[in-house]
């Protein structure tokens, strides 16, 4: 019985060791800019943004990793152990919504993520001239990014545009704002203005729409038939006069 007891002891040692290591790993915690949980960081284009990742509750040196989205960020050797800093400079509109994540190298489940919330007003300027024939369809398009998302309003000759049912239609996504006019009429000529506005500002674009007279359309079938008739007439004329033609020769 004593021998069995002594043989059981070595089996218990690794179990205790694993439990001890699990407890140590569980106690580890990361913080980014003093946040221990995932968070969103509001900023604006231009000024740099610094992110500082720190290992907490660790009694030994721990290596840290940084990721931008799914891509790993290259860190210098002196910027990896226990504390690691990265700088996004300059911040641009394309950084909006990008996630930066700091991870513990030996246990990547220990991590903290930061989502950049880059806020900027609508960018929309300029003008455009369009000439369209009467009874045809036309679409006016404004492309404008913004954060927070903007809303749009349409004007004609500086007055709020009254949407005529079944002729005017509005289409909108997060970046594209369109006004579609079906079967334009002479009365649709004028200056249309797209105003895109958010809490941070607004942008606008003018469209100069000119509706021209409808051009006469000749049916292709009639043109083809006329060509065929003329061709056959000439051929028949040649055949009818072939005897005279040969006599001359």
């Amino acid at each position: 019985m004593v021998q069995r007891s002594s043989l059981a002891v070595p089996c218990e040692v690794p179990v205790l060791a694993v439990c001890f290591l699990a407890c140590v790993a569980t106690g580890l915690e990361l913080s980014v800019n003093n946040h221990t949980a995932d968070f969103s960081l509001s900023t604006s284009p231009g000024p740099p943004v610094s992110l500082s990742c720190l290992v907490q509750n660790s009694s030994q040196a721990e290596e840290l990793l940084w990721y931008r989205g799914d891509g790993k960020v290259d860190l210098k050797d002196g910027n990896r152990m226990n504390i690691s800093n990265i700088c996004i400079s300059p911040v641009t509109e394309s950084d909006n919504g990008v996630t930066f994540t700091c991870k513990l190298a030996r246990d990547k489940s220990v991590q903290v993520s930061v989502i950049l919330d880059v806020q900027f007003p609508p960018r929309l300027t300029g003008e455009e001239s369009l000439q369209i024939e009467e009874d045809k369809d036309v679409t006016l398009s404004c492309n404008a990014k913004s954060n927070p998302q903007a809303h749009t309003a349409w004007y004609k000759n500086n007055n709020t545009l009254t949407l005529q049912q079944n002729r005017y239609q509005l289409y909108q996504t997060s970046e594209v704002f369109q006004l579609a006019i079906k079967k334009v009429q002479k009365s649709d000529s004028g200056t249309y203005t797209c105003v895109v506005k958010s809490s941070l500002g607004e942008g606008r674009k003018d469209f100069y729409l000119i509706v021209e007279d409808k051009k006469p359309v000749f049916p292709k079938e009639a043109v083809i038939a006329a060509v065929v008739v003329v061709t056959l007439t000439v051929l028949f004329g040649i055949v009818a006069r072939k005897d005279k033609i040969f006599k001359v020769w």
Side-chain angles (χ1 to χ4, degrees), residues 172 188 218:
Q172 178 175 331
D188 292 321
F218 296 98

mmCIF file of all heavy atoms in Angstrom, residues 172 188 218:
data_model
loop_
_atom_site.group_PDB
_atom_site.id
_atom_site.type_symbol
_atom_site.label_atom_id
_atom_site.label_comp_id
_atom_site.label_asym_id
_atom_site.label_seq_id
_atom_site.Cartn_x
_atom_site.Cartn_y
_atom_site.Cartn_z
ATOM 1 N N GLN A 172 -29.797 57.181 -51.668
ATOM 2 C CA GLN A 172 -28.759 57.581 -50.721
ATOM 3 C C GLN A 172 -28.079 56.369 -50.094
ATOM 4 O O GLN A 172 -28.729 55.404 -49.698
ATOM 5 C CB GLN A 172 -29.363 58.458 -49.617
ATOM 6 C CG GLN A 172 -28.373 58.888 -48.552
ATOM 7 C CD GLN A 172 -28.978 59.857 -47.555
ATOM 8 O OE1 GLN A 172 -29.895 60.621 -47.881
ATOM 9 N NE2 GLN A 172 -28.481 59.824 -46.332
ATOM 10 N N ASP A 188 -37.729 71.565 -66.374
ATOM 11 C CA ASP A 188 -36.741 71.036 -65.437
ATOM 12 C C ASP A 188 -35.396 71.729 -65.546
ATOM 13 O O ASP A 188 -34.509 71.521 -64.699
ATOM 14 C CB ASP A 188 -36.543 69.531 -65.672
ATOM 15 C CG ASP A 188 -37.759 68.712 -65.289
ATOM 16 O OD1 ASP A 188 -38.382 69.043 -64.264
ATOM 17 O OD2 ASP A 188 -38.099 67.755 -66.020
ATOM 18 N N PHE A 218 -35.051 59.028 -86.867
ATOM 19 C CA PHE A 218 -35.438 58.318 -88.084
ATOM 20 C C PHE A 218 -35.360 56.822 -87.805
ATOM 21 O O PHE A 218 -34.297 56.313 -87.432
ATOM 22 C CB PHE A 218 -34.504 58.682 -89.247
ATOM 23 C CG PHE A 218 -34.574 60.127 -89.633
ATOM 24 C CD1 PHE A 218 -33.631 61.016 -89.154
ATOM 25 C CD2 PHE A 218 -35.591 60.598 -90.463
ATOM 26 C CE1 PHE A 218 -33.694 62.361 -89.506
ATOM 27 C CE2 PHE A 218 -35.652 61.931 -90.804
ATOM 28 C CZ PHE A 218 -34.708 62.825 -90.324
#
